[in-house]
Amino acid sequence: MPQSPNMFNEHMTNSTMSPGTVGQSLKSPASIRSRSVSDSSVPRRDSLSKTSTPFNKSNKAASQQGTPWETLVVFAINLKQLNVQMNMSNVMGNTTWTTSGLKSQGRLSVGSNRDREISMSVGLGRSQLDSKGGVVGGTIDVNALEMVAHISEHPNQQPSHKIQITMGSTEARVDYMGSSILMGIFSNADLKLQDEWKVNLYNTLDSSITDKSEIFVHGDLKWDIFQVMISRSTTPDLIKIGMKLQEFFTQQFDTSKRALSTWGPVPYLPPKTMTSNLEKSSQEQLLDAAHHRHWPGVLKVVSGSKSRM
């Protein structure tokens, strides 16, 4: 076909002539046929390779693009009862944690075009933490806790995040050195949070993103009873409780690490008591960088948002 362009030119010129010359156009197929046969005897390897090149490129591009896909994950958890008993020396004494009626179910849908739909619900019948016989004691009791969350993110659409938490009642009592320093009750609470995004989705690299991006968080909190009883020494006692718990868990972690090091080839390295200011500053910078490694992207989107409260 590429070697015989004259056939198409002659046919087109004959077809555009006046009606009086139709006979001449009807006599031309023999000459056209002989010419096409003579041209067909010429090797056409080059022409075939030339014509097949764009077809192969298109096939390769289509294969690289791939077909769209979608992944759906559905899960469900049903835990009737869980009992955990611990002996936390003289800091918290005998500690018991009881959980019953824990149920959770969810649905996760992810697509190749960056579609994301997540729906999850968590329900808790009762959870109670009781500590007796130590310097720090008390009771925390949570009844009828439910949480429902929904996340929707699609390309070229504003994202949507919703969460609702409903709680029947929560009672807490904190003791320090045998005396109660904090008592409280919080019942029939309902919390709803929903965000509203007004972000430029088509020109995210624009320098004027701060003038075009707004993110609002709408919240609604309702409760029936909220009571707290404190004493004069509640604040300093809470600080002492925090320091004792931190010291206790740090010692337990170091002891467990030393015990596990005897089972394997990993040597145990005791914590350094004295560190130079230079090493401390470098470690703080590394920890700060590791802690904020996920925030640049969020900061880029949230930068310049204004609160209208």
Side-chain angles (χ1 to χ4, degrees), residues 44-211:
R44 300 173 60 186
R45 186 176 302 173
D46 297 336
S47 61
L48 290 175
S49 62
K50 292 180 180 179
T51 55
S52 61
T53 301
F55 180 76
N56 293 335
K57 288 183 179 179
S58 61
N59 287 342
K60 186 177 181 181
S63 62
Q64 289 179 355
Q65 184 177 2
T67 58
W69 54 267
E70 183 179 3
T71 302
L72 177 63
V73 179
V74 180
F75 67 91
I77 299 174
N78 188 0
L79 182 62
K80 184 177 181 181
Q81 189 170 356
L82 174 65
N83 296 327
V84 179
Q85 296 181 357
M86 299 171 288
N87 186 1
M88 303 181 68
S89 69
N90 61 345
V91 178
M92 294 184 66
N94 296 324
T95 303
T96 304
W97 179 32
T98 304
T99 303
S100 61
L102 177 60
K103 299 180 179 179
S104 176
Q105 60 182 359
R107 181 179 185 273
L108 170 63
S109 177
V110 180
S112 58
N113 56 349
R114 296 183 300 174
D115 286 331
R116 184 183 303 174
E117 286 282 346
I118 301 175
S119 300
M120 184 179 64
S121 63
V122 178
L124 179 64
R126 184 180 182 182
S127 181
Q128 184 178 10
L129 179 64
D130 189 9
S131 179
K132 299 178 181 179
V135 178
V136 180
T139 303
I140 300 176
D141 194 354
V142 180
N143 294 312
L145 179 63
E146 297 180 358
M147 183 185 70
V148 179
H150 180 71
I151 298 175
S152 177
E153 296 179 358
H154 299 277
N156 300 328
Q157 292 183 10
Q158 302 293 346
S160 175
H161 307 84
K162 300 178 182 179
I163 185 172
Q164 181 177 359
I165 301 175
T166 304
M167 182 172 55
S169 65
T170 299
E171 300 178 2
R173 188 188 83 250
V174 180
D175 301 336
Y176 180 68
M177 301 293 292
S179 61
S180 298
I181 61 172
L182 175 64
M183 291 184 291
I185 182 173
F186 188 55
S187 65
N188 297 329
D190 189 6
L191 174 63
K192 297 180 181 178
L193 294 175
Q194 180 179 358
D195 58 356
E196 180 182 359
W197 293 63
K198 296 181 180 180
V199 181
N200 185 12
L201 301 174
Y202 302 99
N203 193 11
T204 56
L205 298 178
D206 190 4
S207 59
S208 60
I209 187 174
T210 56
D211 300 331

Side-chain angles (χ1 to χ4, degrees), residues 239-257:
I239 296 175
K240 294 177 182 178
I241 289 174
M243 295 177 63
K244 283 187 173 296
L245 291 178
Q246 182 181 4
E247 182 182 0
F248 172 75
F249 286 113
T250 302
Q251 291 178 356
Q252 293 295 321
F253 179 75
D254 291 338
T255 304
S256 302
K257 189 176 180 181

